[in-house]
Amino acid sequence: SCFFPVDLIKIRILILSIGQREVTVQKGPLFRAEGYPVSIGCNVTGHQGPSEQHFQWSIYLPTAPEQEIQIVSTKDDSFSYARYAQRVRSREIYVERVQGNSVLLYISKLQMEDAGEYECHTPNTDGKYFGSYSAKANLTVIPDTLSATMSSQTLNKEEGEPLELTCEVFKATAQHTHLSVTWYVMQEGERSQDTKIISLSRDFMLIPGPSYTERFAAGDVRLDKLGATTFRLSIGRLQPSDQGQLFCEAMEWIQDPDETWTFITKKQTDQTTLRVQPEVRNFQVNMTAESTFAEGKPLELVCVVVGSSRDPQLQGVWFFNDIEIASVNAGGVLGLEKGYKERASQGQLQVSKLSSKAFSLKIFSAGPEDEGAYRCEVAEMARARMGTWQVLQKKQSPDSHVHLRKPTARSVGVSTKNQQQTVWEGEALTLLCKADGAESPLSVSWWHFPVDQTQPELVAGLGQDGTMQLGPSYGGPSNHGNIRLEKVDWATFQLDITSTAVTDSGIYECRVSERTRSQARDLSWSQKILITVKSLESSLQVTLMSRQPQVKLADTFDLSCIVSANYSDLKVPLTLTWQFQPAGSQDFHQLIRITHNGAIEWGNFLSQFQKKTKVSQSLFHSQLLIHDATEEEAGMYQCKVEVYDRNSLRTNSPPKATAVSHPLRIAITLPTSKLRVNLSSQVQELFINSNAEIECSILSLSTGNLHLAIIWYFCPISSNESWLKILEMNQTNVVKYGDEFHTPKRKQKFHTEKVSQGLFQLHILNVDDGDQGRYHCTVEEWLLLTNGTWHKLGGEKSGPTELKLKPTGSKVRVSKVGWTENATEHREVAIRCSLESSGSSASLFSVMWYWYGENSESKMLVHLQHDGLLEYGEEGLSKHLHCYRSSPTDFVLKLHRVEMKDAGTYWCKVAEWQLHGNPSKWVSQASDESQPMVLKVLR
């Protein structure tokens, strides 16, 4: 954390006349170092108005002494110029209020560009201007030249030992400054608090820390200045409380014009780690010695004291089979028992004190007589007043049994070449058998104890003459080239199994034999080693993941197959197969197979996968990327991994391990249609024989590769009529007319146009009375899939547009008299439709007969046109019914032989036609319908 040593506020207090304002700042010039904080005080007296005054700070730079640069204000947050705005916002520069009429300007980290003349200004709160409203102080920013260095080291001391550390302090400040140097220790558990040891103040006074006052007074703690730059800390006798991280801190001080001292720089040295081992009053005795020795070789036993005080007076005594044989008293005098004194005089034995806490018994040429139990006894001694030695405490080591090593010709060591006794199935295994001793012709045989078997099997043998022999189980064709035994040097034999199997686990024994002339039979030595061959399948796992199990139609989705195994660093050959089960199927089919050598094999199922699928693969990871998803790709996916070893690849054997991932379901979701069509109702009123334009307005569309289809519908004014399809323009712009509008005349009259992406129009030429009614459109969105098929995304119906004709003066009136008749099956029936008047002589009439049954929609039966032509609604009706005009006011529909299916409701629609236009043409200008007429057919 950063703290600011607050400069003393030096405010000159003047006796002013009442009501006279005076602003004073800290007396300058001030010298401060780059990178360190500064505070400048400002005070106002003699003011009127509120007790809490506002202050504004500005600077005049040496490069432009007449130009004011605003820094910070207690009144206006926007006071700062851009040069200082960021530092003010980050609180690197701020104003702290001491009292209502007194503040401090803080700059937490000085820059060289901060040098200049600082002005403190107080806005006027008086009734009139009277006095001074600002004051200035000059600040000079000087370079930081202070350095403090001490080499970092770790010291291990014991309690009571002395300590000396030196610190080099150097400064090159041009101004007159003083130094202070302080030594600190930071103890464990107190990392946020440093303990002061001793300091040399700027006034050249030595001041100990509170914890070191008594030791300083006793002369145990000192600080000395050696030359111009070296300061030495001395501690006469270390205590455990001195342990921790020791460092030196130097501070540079300067005297301001008001004669107060302010520090301007501070540096700390690297830390020295001091560990103080407390004195141990109690101790233990341990003895170190080899448990066996060779005849004629040296035997040394060392007795070590653990603990005790720093400079103990110790006496050591040696025992052999509980008999004292040698001693070294506290004064260093040697004592030897009979027999050992003679051996010592001959240079065969030496008893010595290696250090203040270690004794040695060394026999330079040990023999069988030195085999037995050794023990040492150590006593701590103190010299009494009369000069004699007094035993303070006595301790013995445990017995150490030393045996004479029996001579052997050789020893055999068995190891693996890579020092690993566990291998994976298919890995190579190399066993080394090494004999020691003098060089001689040797033969070797390797034996294998399979798991759970006590009888070994011969693996291979190598005679002294170099003849190699393979065991019965290892010499067959299946193991050809898999076993190799070679002689590395005269004493080292190497057995190689190039590709291990799980059955190769077990104990391997190396038997080394040597034939000598002096022995009746061969000398033999052996050693065993346990080898474990782990199955590849035991740790093989396959995981299938997808970031998007729910995939939108036409989107891209990916699947990741991750292979995890403990032998991932072996780079074993593996083959990966992607499989797919379509929705509704019970079987998985191969999509793609990537073999161990990188070959790709596509399955013959769903050939579209090959055109839209990308596979990327590394050793233990495969990614399947499928573009333009369709419903055909919905279903279950899984990946299958087959792991091989080198031998199985060479012999075309089955894989060593197989794993299949869990199935992962991919669902193809349809995108949501955003199609919106204008639903408002409209009315158009036109003159007869004019042209009409019915609009279908699209308000919004879905995004993507979409195509539109439009269908126009018409409902005549008759309440009995249903909606009739006029025409349809599908998503490929092919136009198809409805059944009622399929005649050439109707095709010429109605056609549609795509005006823009959001507007379609239905054009109706030469509107007549038969065109009156309601119109609407249905718009459909279609998505073209990559397989060439179309998918309907959505559809919406528009609001109706009613088409009316302006009155022409003509009025057709059909008689509204109801009619009901019961007719017997196979009889002839005549149904009449009558006009109330014959109309104008310039008029022609047409009639259309309609029918609907109990469970069927209405349909047009026959149309007697104004020119006398007959048009039947369905092919074949002409044989069953006939329509004619029996008088100027009567129209007749005759059914020749009624059937049961003819029962239902009949009605007629009569239209009046007149000549219009130039050139003139017949146009329907009025129409009317009859009341429903019910026909019942009896069997």
Side-chain angles (χ1 to χ4, degrees):
S1 62
C2 184
F3 75 94
F4 300 102
V6 180
D7 286 335
L8 296 176
I9 307 171
K10 306 95 182 181
I11 301 175
R12 182 165 53 94
I13 301 177
L14 303 175
I15 302 176
L16 305 172
S17 59
I18 298 175
Q20 181 175 352
R21 174 188 293 257
E22 182 173 29
V23 176
T24 57
V25 297
Q26 185 173 339
K27 187 177 180 181
L30 302 176
F31 293 87
R32 297 293 185 267
E34 180 186 11
Y36 287 80
V38 67
S39 63
I40 306 174
C42 182
N43 183 65
V44 60
T45 58
H47 60 81
Q48 298 179 12
S51 60
E52 184 171 287
Q53 293 287 296
H54 283 290
F55 295 80
Q56 296 175 342
W57 286 91
S58 303
I59 186 173
Y60 297 85
L61 299 176
T63 56
E66 300 299 323
Q67 180 181 353
E68 178 188 9
I69 300 176
Q70 297 176 178
I71 303 176
V72 65
S73 168
T74 61
K75 182 180 180 180
D76 184 8
D77 291 338
S78 62
F79 178 79
S80 306
Y81 280 7
R83 181 187 182 102
Y84 290 97
Q86 177 59 35
R87 295 171 70 187
V88 171
R89 282 195 298 269
S90 65
R91 296 284 293 172
E92 183 182 339
I93 299 177
Y94 64 96
V95 177
E96 179 181 333
R97 187 176 294 279
V98 180
Q99 293 179 350
N101 65 336
S102 179
V103 297
L104 289 173
L105 171 65
Y106 273 100
I107 303 177
S108 60
K109 189 175 182 180
L110 275 174
Q111 302 175 7
M112 296 301 292
E113 297 81 12
D114 294 332
E117 190 174 41
Y118 284 74
E119 180 183 46
C120 173
H121 175 76
T122 60
N124 183 30
T125 60
D126 309 328
K128 59 181 180 178
Y129 282 87
F130 187 46
S132 66
Y133 290 81
S134 65
K136 296 180 180 179
N138 195 280
L139 173 66
T140 300
V141 181
I142 61 177
D144 175 15
T145 64
L146 180 64
S147 67
T149 58
M150 177 181 68
S151 59
S152 177
Q153 56 185 322
T154 298
L155 301 176
N156 294 301
K157 298 283 188 177
E158 292 188 352
E159 182 180 357
E161 285 187 319
L163 173 70
E164 284 189 359
L165 296 174
T166 58
C167 168
E168 295 290 333
V169 179
F170 175 81
K171 69 179 179 71
T173 309
Q175 288 71 28
H176 176 72
T177 58
H178 286 190
L179 289 176
S180 66
V181 177
T182 306
W183 285 89
Y184 291 93
V185 59
M186 184 171 67
Q187 297 168 336
E188 294 182 4
E190 301 178 10
R191 294 189 179 276
S192 60
Q193 182 178 0
D194 302 329
T195 301
K196 176 181 174 182
I197 301 174
I198 190 170
S199 66
L200 178 65
S201 72
R202 66 172 183 273
D203 300 320
F204 311 108
M205 296 180 61
L206 287 173
I207 304 172
S211 303
Y212 289 82
T213 303
E214 293 183 4
R215 296 170 66 184
F216 172 75
D220 190 47
V221 175
R222 295 179 56 187
L223 195 160
D224 299 307
K225 184 176 182 184
L226 310 176
T229 61
T230 305
F231 297 81
R232 182 179 64 194
L233 169 68
S234 302
I235 299 178
R237 291 181 59 84
L238 286 171
Q239 297 181 7
S241 59
D242 298 327
Q243 180 169 288
Q245 308 290 329
L246 279 71
F247 62 92
C248 164
E249 181 185 83
M251 297 176 67
E252 187 176 8
W253 299 75
I254 194 167
Q255 191 173 33
D256 288 339
D258 60 359
E259 299 184 353
T260 60
W261 288 89
T262 303
F263 96 86
I264 58 173
T265 59
K266 179 172 65 176
K267 294 292 169 59
Q268 290 182 353
T269 66
D270 292 336
Q271 296 178 347
T272 288
T273 301
L274 174 64
R275 298 190 181 97
V276 180
Q277 178 66 39
E279 285 188 351
V280 179
R281 303 305 174 188
N282 197 5
F283 66 88
Q284 292 180 341
V285 180
N286 295 328
M287 186 167 64
T288 60
E290 294 289 338
S291 60
T292 62
F293 66 93
E295 186 175 1
K297 299 296 182 180
L299 169 64
E300 183 176 16
L301 301 97
V302 178
C303 185
V304 179
V305 176
V306 180
S308 183
S309 57
R310 190 167 61 87
D311 292 316
Q313 300 292 324
L314 299 179
Q315 171 184 288
V317 181
W318 290 95
F319 294 87
F320 174 60
N321 292 335
D322 294 328
I323 299 173
E324 182 179 334
I325 59 173
S327 64
V328 180
N329 68 11
V333 178
L334 174 63
L336 293 171
E337 296 301 317
K338 188 178 179 180
Y340 288 89
K341 186 181 295 185
E342 184 179 349
R343 295 177 68 179
S345 64
Q346 296 175 357
Q348 298 178 4
L349 180 142
Q350 181 183 355
V351 178
S352 61
K353 192 172 184 180
L354 301 178
S355 67
S356 62
K357 296 183 179 180
F359 300 88
S360 169
L361 170 62
K362 188 171 185 180
I363 303 173
F364 292 100
S365 180
E369 68 275 10
D370 298 315
E371 185 177 32
Y374 290 84
R375 181 177 74 252
C376 71
E377 179 184 271
V378 177
E380 184 176 5
M381 313 295 289
R383 192 177 291 276
R385 292 183 180 179
M386 301 302 294
T388 60
W389 291 99
Q390 179 183 355
V391 177
L392 299 179
Q393 57 178 326
K394 185 185 296 185
K395 296 290 178 67
Q396 288 186 347
S397 72
D399 286 353
S400 180
H401 295 272
V402 179
H403 301 281
L404 178 64
R405 190 180 304 129
K406 300 297 186 291
T408 57
R410 301 188 187 282
S411 63
V412 173
V414 177
S415 64
T416 60
K417 192 170 184 179
N418 60 358
Q419 306 302 316
Q420 300 294 324
Q421 294 179 233
T422 300
V423 295
W424 286 102
E425 180 181 12
E427 270 194 291
L429 173 65
T430 300
L431 297 173
L432 295 173
C433 180
K434 187 175 180 63
D436 65 358
E439 182 173 349
S440 178
L442 301 176
S443 61
V444 68
S445 61
W446 283 94
W447 297 81
H448 176 218
F449 292 80
V451 179
D452 298 330
Q453 290 189 27
T454 57
Q455 293 299 320
E457 299 176 350
L458 175 64
V459 180
L462 190 65
Q464 292 184 8
D465 58 357
T467 303
M468 181 177 172
Q469 176 189 2
L470 292 176
S473 301
Y474 296 88
S478 61
N479 277 306
H480 179 70
N482 195 39
I483 302 295
R484 187 171 68 250
L485 176 59
E486 64 176 301
K487 188 175 184 179
V488 180
D489 55 41
W490 74 269
T492 307
F493 302 89
Q494 179 173 307
L495 175 67
D496 291 311
I497 303 177
T498 56
S499 180
T500 56
V502 177
T503 54
D504 292 326
S505 295
I507 296 175
Y508 286 81
E509 182 181 27
C510 172
R511 300 176 184 175
V512 176
S513 300
E514 179 183 4
R515 180 171 299 172
T516 62
R517 296 178 181 178
S518 59
Q519 298 290 336
R521 58 179 183 176
D522 291 352
L523 299 176
S524 181
W525 306 270
S526 67
Q527 186 61 270
K528 296 178 180 178
I529 188 171
L530 175 63
I531 297 297
T532 301
V533 180
K534 293 193 292 186
S535 167
L536 291 176
E537 197 162 17
S538 62
S539 70
L540 179 63
Q541 289 184 338
V542 182
T543 305
L544 184 60
M545 296 188 301
S546 175
R547 291 178 294 179
Q548 52 209 96
Q550 297 285 337
V551 182
K552 290 184 179 180
L553 190 71
D555 276 1
T556 298
F557 67 94
D558 64 278
L559 301 167
S560 291
C561 182
I562 301 171
V563 182
S564 58
N566 293 337
Y567 47 84
S568 58
D569 56 341
L570 294 184
K571 298 183 180 180
V572 294
L574 60 84
T575 293
L576 188 141
T577 304
W578 286 96
Q579 297 175 327
F580 173 62
Q581 181 190 72
S585 173
Q586 299 296 320
D587 300 321
F588 277 92
H589 303 270
Q590 175 183 318
L591 289 180
I592 185 172
R593 186 170 185 258
I594 304 99
T595 65
H596 60 87
N597 57 8
I600 294 179
E601 301 171 1
W602 288 93
N604 54 8
F605 178 76
L606 291 180
S607 60
Q608 84 274 7
F609 273 103
Q610 189 169 351
K611 301 175 183 178
K612 59 195 300 185
T613 301
K614 179 181 178 182
V615 177
S616 59
Q617 180 152 332
S618 59
L619 185 59
F620 287 95
H621 178 259
S622 180
Q623 184 182 48
L624 185 70
L625 197 68
I626 299 178
H627 301 277
D628 300 320
T630 66
E631 292 177 310
E632 289 181 320
E633 284 84 63
M636 305 289 285
Y637 291 80
Q638 69 182 20
C639 62
K640 175 183 176 182
V641 174
E642 298 166 307
V643 179
Y644 297 84
D645 62 15
R646 298 175 184 85
N647 190 50
S648 58
L649 286 177
R650 189 178 67 251
T651 59
N652 293 322
S653 301
K656 288 293 183 181
T658 302
V660 180
S661 73
H662 61 279
L664 181 64
R665 182 180 300 278
I666 295 295
I668 307 299
T669 60
L670 303 179
T672 303
S673 174
K674 297 181 180 178
L675 175 67
R676 295 293 179 270
V677 179
N678 188 1
L679 301 178
S680 59
S681 301
Q682 301 180 41
V683 177
Q684 291 189 26
E685 190 171 7
L686 304 173
F687 288 105
I688 195 168
N689 204 34
S690 61
N691 296 333
E693 294 178 350
I694 310 297
E695 291 190 345
C696 181
S697 179
I698 300 172
L699 304 180
S700 65
L701 288 169
S702 304
T703 57
N705 184 24
L706 297 174
H707 299 259
L708 297 179
I710 185 166
I711 308 171
W712 289 98
Y713 292 92
F714 168 62
C715 181
I717 294 177
S718 170
S719 60
N720 294 324
E721 285 284 358
S722 60
W723 286 96
L724 306 175
K725 182 166 81 171
I726 302 174
L727 62 86
E728 172 186 0
M729 183 168 70
N730 68 11
Q731 65 273 17
T732 62
N733 296 324
V734 175
V735 177
K736 181 180 179 181
Y737 283 83
D739 294 339
E740 292 81 1
F741 294 84
H742 209 270
T743 63
K745 183 178 179 182
R746 288 286 181 115
K747 289 182 179 181
Q748 186 178 9
K749 187 179 187 68
F750 294 93
H751 72 275
T752 187
E753 178 188 6
K754 183 178 181 180
V755 180
S756 65
Q757 183 67 14
L759 180 63
F760 290 85
Q761 287 183 345
L762 175 68
H763 296 279
I764 309 173
L765 304 180
N766 306 124
V767 174
D768 57 27
D769 176 68
D771 300 324
Q772 291 190 101
R774 290 175 296 157
Y775 295 80
H776 77 78
C777 69
T778 296
V779 181
E780 297 174 346
E781 286 184 321
W782 290 81
L783 183 65
L784 179 60
L785 304 181
T786 54
N787 59 5
T789 61
W790 289 93
H791 177 81
K792 182 179 176 182
L793 191 61
E796 191 167 65
K797 183 176 74 173
S798 73
T801 297
E802 185 176 356
L803 185 63
K804 295 181 178 180
L805 291 180
K806 293 183 178 181
T808 59
S810 299
K811 187 67 176 177
V812 178
R813 291 183 176 84
V814 178
S815 174
K816 304 297 182 181
V817 177
W819 181 89
T820 301
E821 182 172 335
N822 295 330
T824 306
E825 190 178 12
H826 306 314
R827 295 284 302 276
E828 185 177 80
V829 175
I831 306 174
R832 286 177 171 76
C833 178
S834 300
L835 298 175
E836 293 183 356
S837 65
S838 60
S840 170
S841 60
S843 298
L844 296 177
F845 292 90
S846 66
V847 63
M848 298 178 76
W849 286 94
Y850 295 91
W851 168 88
Y852 68 86
E854 183 178 358
N855 296 316
S856 62
E857 296 181 352
S858 64
K859 64 180 179 179
M860 193 269 288
L861 299 176
V862 63
H863 180 198
L864 177 60
Q865 300 179 7
H866 65 278
D867 55 3
L869 293 176
L870 276 176
E871 178 186 4
Y872 289 92
E874 294 179 0
E875 189 176 349
L877 285 178
S878 59
K879 300 177 181 179
H880 184 58
L881 54 85
H882 181 59
C883 173
Y884 61 92
R885 187 176 184 183
S886 60
S887 70
T889 59
D890 294 314
F891 298 89
V892 179
L893 174 66
K894 182 174 287 186
L895 306 178
H896 299 308
R897 285 171 57 86
V898 295
E899 300 176 3
M900 297 300 295
K901 64 180 181 179
D902 295 326
T905 302
Y906 293 79
W907 77 94
C908 70
K909 180 179 180 181
V910 179
E912 182 182 5
W913 297 73
Q914 290 186 352
L915 286 171
H916 285 274
N918 187 20
S920 60
K921 59 189 297 186
W922 290 97
V923 176
S924 172
Q925 60 182 23
S927 63
D928 193 19
E929 292 183 357
S930 69
Q931 288 288 93
M933 293 171 277
V934 179
L935 173 63
K936 298 180 181 179
V937 180
L938 308 177
R939 291 193 182 278

